[in-house]
Amino acid sequence: MTELGWTSVADLARLIGTKQVSPVEVVRACLDRITALDGTLRTFITVCAEPALQAAHAALARVLAGETLGPLDGVPIGLKDLFDTAGVRTTAGSRILADRVPGTDATVVTRLTGAGAIVLGKLNMHEFAYGPLGRNAHYGDTVNPWDAGRPRVPGGSSSGSGAAVAAGLVPAALGSDTGGSIRMPASLCGVTGLKPTYGRVSRAGVLPLAWTMDHVGPMARTAEDCALLLGAMAGYDPADASTSVLPVPDYARALSGSIAGVRVGVLRQGFLDASAADVAAGVEAAARMLQSLGAKTDDAAIEQMEHVPAAAFAIVASEALAYHAGWLKSRPADYQPDVRERLQAAAFVTGAQYVRAQQTRALIRDAVDEALRHRDLLLAPATPITAPALDETHADIRGERVSVTAAMIRLTRPFNLSGHPVCAVPCGFTAEGLPIGMQIIGRPFDEVTVLRVADAYQRATDWHRRRPPLAS
Amino acid sequence: MEKVTIETMRAMMRLAGFEWSDAELEALRPLVETNLRLLDRLEAASPRTIDPSTQYRLF
């Protein structure tokens, strides 16, 4: 199969702009890979082959006419199936919305297609984004392309986005992240994923899980590609009152390769010491690599971590129930069992407990700010374990038996509560060949530094270039 | 924390407008008890006077 499936967004945009590659050729290459591999991987719910080819021909016409091209002109992308797309069904991975066809695009979809991107299709996900494993009873479980001999979960809830990028079916995708749903699949599938600062990217037209915790962001093979997509997506949107009017920097231009003097705090307590030994070793090695590139590292800690599970549970459960209550009454049997159970459990959270959780959240946000007071970034594992097998329900972490579901979100959701920007980056492999991911956490609205360090790390390493066994 | 009874769960469920069977409530009870234990700890963790956070650093 063609190498175009493995070409980065940045390279595709350059090759298309210089007439070395046709966008039609690129879209066809992706469609060929989907045809060949997606029967096994189940990353797509809807493939938009004909509209994508039409858009590719239009992009080719712009190239040949010498028109000014958008930064993503002719580049195919996938969308987690909770981004509204005009005329294309948007299911949120559910039976309940199986036939829902929006009349308009989500703001980020409008912005990305306005920059020239071509929507290749809608990607599989944990039903209604309410689960960290990426399981889906209605459209089939997405399979992680990194299998190490056993079918493994891709991580969720943006499971199709992570697996499709990892398998070279599409160069980039959009995900959403309420407790780690961009960073977990990025970590387990060996790709790069960015959760921007809360308010940096519009959520208008994105089906919600929990309004105050939902973030929208790009997933791709490189930090540079995430920077290109973020630049096209970010900025104030009158349709989303939570978006900031702060100007949007040129993220891609800020990737200088230099990180000399950047102050990085390594989160050991509650992060590295709560992770499997091989995961912690991968992140420690990455910290040493950053040091060798000129960063200054020290040990850091975040207070209030013990209250994260309760605060996150009360907020996500209450907000999710507020959205789902009608369907939970009228169509309970149409939810997959784990999602129905989470929604039912939310009925036993009181209003006062929800407010108390939001009060605790303020303390957690302040604690993250405090850890960043004298530092530019924090470094931590993205997930404490690598991809579990589909049938594994528990994992051993340093002798402690923990539920896979609970372990998976342990290290990511503090930053959904706090709203800080985080990039998940591949930083190694276990002995059995499974990817390890780390989080690079920055100050609010400082995605520039987060991406600059992630990019510099990727210039010095090749973890993000490795190809999974189920994708060749 | 006191043990959560099916009667308590039934009352809360009805207040919220749901109708689930006792078998469903029984299946949910361990999860609900775990969650309430966690939430109890927040009572001691957060000063009552702090402003609840819902949105962040809007400029």
Side-chain angles (χ1 to χ4, degrees):
Chain A
M1 282 191 276
T2 170
E3 282 297 302
L4 283 175
W6 298 105
T7 308
S8 71
V9 170
D11 285 343
L12 285 174
R14 184 176 50 79
L15 292 168
I16 290 168
T18 54
K19 302 181 185 174
Q20 295 179 70
V21 168
S22 155
V24 177
E25 196 183 341
V26 175
V27 167
R28 285 210 172 111
C30 291
L31 291 172
D32 286 348
R33 289 188 65 78
I34 292 168
T35 301
L37 297 170
D38 213 41
T40 303
L41 298 175
R42 294 187 288 272
T43 64
F44 279 84
I45 290 177
T46 304
V47 178
C48 306
E50 281 311 311
L53 282 167
Q54 284 172 18
H57 280 288
L60 178 59
R62 289 193 294 275
V63 172
L64 295 177
E67 292 182 25
T68 303
L69 301 178
L72 300 172
D73 229 310
V75 175
I77 59 168
L79 305 172
K80 184 179 184 178
D81 203 18
L82 47 57
F83 291 88
D84 278 358
T85 38
V88 179
R89 71 173 180 159
T90 300
T91 69
S94 72
R95 179 182 293 162
I96 287 170
L97 298 179
D99 300 317
R100 176 176 175 272
V101 180
T104 56
D105 284 339
T107 296
V108 288
V109 176
T110 302
R111 288 182 178 176
L112 287 168
T113 53
I118 295 170
V119 175
L120 203 58
K122 308 298 291 291
L123 292 158
N124 206 348
M125 55 184 285
H126 205 109
E127 186 188 34
F128 284 117
Y130 206 0
L133 301 182
R135 309 299 295 260
N136 194 294
H138 312 298
Y139 302 95
D141 292 330
T142 297
V143 174
N144 193 327
W146 295 95
D147 68 342
R150 293 170 73 186
R152 289 176 189 271
V153 299
S157 61
S158 308
S159 46
S161 304
V165 171
L169 307 188
V170 66
L174 291 194
S176 66
D177 190 317
T178 307
S181 290
I182 288 173
R183 293 161 286 157
M184 292 183 288
S187 174
L188 268 49
C189 294
V191 304
T192 306
L194 178 73
K195 181 195 83 65
T197 312
Y198 188 84
R200 182 73 290 184
V201 175
S202 171
R203 296 171 293 107
V206 184
L207 287 160
L209 173 57
W211 297 274
T212 70
M213 300 274 277
D214 291 343
H215 300 64
V216 166
M219 302 174 75
R221 278 188 287 278
T222 68
E224 182 186 20
D225 288 357
C226 287
L228 281 167
L229 265 75
L230 181 65
M233 294 158 64
Y236 175 70
D237 175 15
D240 178 353
S242 72
T243 51
S244 169
V245 296
L246 277 178
V248 177
D250 187 335
Y251 297 108
R253 189 175 291 249
L255 306 180
S256 62
S258 168
I259 61 168
V262 173
R263 299 161 300 175
V264 180
V266 181
L267 292 170
R268 292 204 161 77
Q269 187 186 339
F271 287 87
L272 280 172
D273 64 12
S275 300
D278 46 8
V279 171
V283 177
E284 293 276 16
R288 289 193 295 275
M289 170 62 77
L290 293 179
Q291 210 170 15
S292 76
L293 295 172
K296 296 175 180 171
T297 64
D298 69 351
D299 284 5
I302 298 175
E303 303 295 322
Q304 305 287 344
M305 276 289 289
E306 68 273 24
H307 301 306
V308 165
F313 159 71
I315 294 167
V316 174
S318 300
E319 295 185 18
L321 182 61
Y323 181 74
H324 285 277
W327 292 323
L328 193 60
K329 288 171 188 169
S330 63
R331 303 179 64 176
D334 285 339
Y335 286 94
Q336 65 185 46
D338 66 319
V339 174
R340 183 173 62 244
E341 183 181 82
R342 288 186 189 111
L343 291 169
Q344 287 177 317
F348 304 97
V349 180
T350 67
Q353 286 167 328
Y354 174 80
V355 172
R356 184 50 53 100
Q358 293 284 17
Q359 288 177 304
T360 307
R361 177 183 197 167
L363 298 177
I364 293 164
R365 180 201 60 205
D366 291 349
V368 180
D369 279 344
E370 179 59 31
L372 284 161
R373 183 183 297 277
H374 301 295
R375 301 180 182 96
D376 303 295
L377 299 170
L378 301 171
L379 192 70
T383 50
I385 53 174
T386 52
L390 281 173
D391 57 359
E392 275 182 288
T393 58
H394 287 77
D396 284 318
I397 301 179
R398 299 180 187 244
E400 184 196 358
R401 185 172 154 81
V402 293
S403 109
V404 163
T405 300
M408 201 62 75
I409 55 179
R410 183 187 279 179
L411 308 183
T412 48
R413 63 184 172 183
F415 310 108
N416 294 85
L417 287 166
S418 76
H420 291 74
V422 187
C423 192
V425 178
C427 67
F429 282 81
T430 64
E432 60 182 333
L434 295 172
I436 298 167
M438 65 178 176
Q439 298 184 90
I440 299 172
I441 303 123
R443 292 174 169 176
F445 295 100
D446 190 14
E447 283 83 1
V448 161
T449 304
V450 170
L451 288 166
R452 183 159 55 89
V453 170
D455 171 68
Y457 177 77
Q458 291 185 330
R459 292 185 194 203
T461 58
D462 71 350
W463 308 117
H464 59 292
R465 292 199 191 93
R466 301 202 181 177
R467 299 180 185 183
L470 291 188
S472 39
Chain B
M1 193 193 75
E2 287 179 32
K3 192 171 164 60
V4 177
T5 65
I6 287 292
E7 288 70 31
T8 305
M9 290 179 71
R10 207 183 284 135
M12 289 186 75
M13 167 193 78
R14 286 183 180 148
L15 272 174
F18 297 104
E19 280 297 334
W20 299 319
S21 68
D22 281 1
E24 280 180 286
L25 292 176
E26 196 58 66
L28 274 175
R29 186 157 68 168
L31 180 60
V32 170
E33 285 181 337
T34 302
N35 292 338
L36 293 180
R37 252 194 314 274
L38 278 174
L39 291 171
D40 263 3
R41 290 186 211 150
L42 292 189
E43 281 301 310
S46 318
R48 290 168 198 278
T49 51
I50 200 166
D51 261 17
S53 277
T54 51
Q55 295 192 345
Y56 295 86
R57 302 180 182 85
L58 307 183
F59 295 93

